[in-house]
Amino acid sequence: MARLLRTAPEGERLREGALLVIAGPPNAGKSSLFNALLGRERAIVTEVPGTTRDAIEAYAAIDGFPFRLVDTAGLRDSDDRVERLGIEVSWKYLEAADLVLYCEEAGDAGKGMGDAFVSRCRAPVVIVRTKSDLPPSDRPTVRPSDLRVSVVTGDGLTELRHRLAEVAFGKLLTLGDVEPVVTRARHRAALERAVAELDEFAAARAAGVEAAAAATHLRAAVLALDDLIGVVTPDDVLDRVFASFCVGK
Ligand SMILES: Nc1nc2c(ncn2[C@@H]2O[C@H](COP(=O)(O)OP(=O)(O)O)[C@@H](O)[C@H]2O)c(=O)[nH]1
Ligand SMILES: [Mg+2]
């Protein structure tokens, strides 16, 4: 049961889509990459820094896995009130993210806020160097291990997709096709209740409580699992019938 529970965070993502938030300084190429991952021109792209002021959300399948992609306003200190509000929204999304894609222009790392940014994020951060088609700048700040992409040539996009799927769903990728996965919060709650009851049973026995008395915890564990495997009571059936059919006529 503990092993099954470990599949829950990624399993639940299979139903909702992993929240992938694209962030980075203005003009880093975030909206261009958002469109490229989406496969359509959804976000406005211009050479004017500060173009994206509101977060834009869209569904996309990446390497066959479901994602909710979010393009955000570029992070910088700004005097513009609307842009500042956009940056606040960016941080809200970043706090909720399952995974963050941090974009920085290849030659830009020196003045970027990469490290400070990464330490502020709770979710795993994938860093990409954008615009890899442009000639290398005189500041070779790109590490060989960095992912490099260009939306102009398509360079690096396949690797980036693999990396994103691996970070968001890697635990599931290592499971065989037939292994069960917990995909619903209700199922996770049932398993957690069952595990807690089993722990209490073991603790009671260790403390010398008689088996017959301690077994109430086992009964409670079984009841919790009934929920998971779909044992339903007549009341449940009636509730469902009345909720989904018009019986008034
Ligand atoms: N050469 C080149 N230009 C790019 C690339 N990605 C974005 N750009 C340009 O960089 C500018 C800013 O792009 P945008 O996606 O709006 O950046 P954002 O502000 O981070 O959303 C635009 O003029 C884009 O055309 C790329 O891979 N190669
Ligand atoms: Mg943008």
Side-chain angles (χ1 to χ4, degrees):
M1 280 193 275
R3 203 163 70 216
L4 196 52
L5 268 174
R6 279 198 289 275
T7 67
E10 297 189 0
E12 284 168 35
R13 263 175 224 169
L14 273 182
R15 295 175 54 85
E16 311 261 310
L19 188 66
L20 167 58
V21 179
I22 304 179
N27 237 28
K30 299 178 297 300
S31 297
S32 304
L33 198 51
F34 173 82
N35 289 337
L37 290 172
L38 214 57
R40 60 194 163 95
E41 304 302 311
R42 172 73 178 78
I44 297 171
V45 170
T46 74
E47 68 295 343
V48 183
T51 301
T52 309
R53 287 154 161 254
D54 208 351
I56 307 177
E57 198 172 325
Y59 277 95
I62 297 180
D63 269 13
F65 287 100
F67 281 85
R68 283 156 59 207
L69 292 187
V70 182
D71 181 27
T72 62
L75 304 168
R76 65 169 171 183
D77 293 328
S78 170
D79 294 332
D80 181 301
R81 200 166 67 87
V82 178
E83 192 183 351
R84 269 211 318 273
L85 287 174
I87 293 171
E88 272 174 37
V89 171
S90 301
W91 277 110
K92 291 231 168 70
Y93 268 104
L94 284 164
E95 278 158 25
D98 290 317
L99 167 65
V100 175
L101 179 58
Y102 186 76
C103 303
E104 211 161 37
E105 255 182 80
D108 226 18
K111 65 173 191 259
M113 46 160 143
D115 290 344
F117 173 84
V118 170
S119 62
R120 242 187 106 168
C121 286
R122 227 178 6 90
V125 182
V126 172
I127 299 178
V128 277
R129 304 286 172 205
T130 53
K131 311 188 189 180
S132 66
D133 56 290
L134 296 180
S137 77
D138 38 1
R139 285 180 304 154
T141 47
V142 179
R143 287 171 296 230
S145 60
D146 284 344
L147 271 177
R148 308 191 47 175
V149 298
S150 163
V151 301
V152 174
T153 62
D155 192 33
L157 287 175
T158 304
E159 288 90 331
L160 176 61
R161 288 195 180 93
H162 288 336
R163 180 78 67 93
L164 295 173
E166 195 190 335
V167 174
F169 294 100
K171 288 206 193 83
L172 298 187
L173 287 172
T174 61
L175 288 181
D177 279 349
V178 294
E179 299 276 336
V181 172
V182 179
T183 60
R184 287 176 191 271
R186 189 168 58 81
H187 293 171
R188 173 165 46 82
L191 280 167
E192 281 167 350
R193 273 202 318 278
V195 168
E197 292 292 348
L198 289 183
D199 284 346
E200 287 197 34
F201 169 76
R205 287 295 282 154
V209 177
E210 227 182 291
T216 54
H217 291 298
L218 292 186
R219 191 186 314 277
V222 170
L223 278 178
L225 291 180
D226 279 352
D227 228 15
L228 182 77
I229 60 176
V231 173
V232 286
T233 63
D235 280 347
D236 289 338
V237 175
L238 286 179
D239 281 350
R240 255 175 241 180
V241 168
F242 282 107
S244 35
F245 296 102
C246 175
V247 287
K249 293 175 188 162

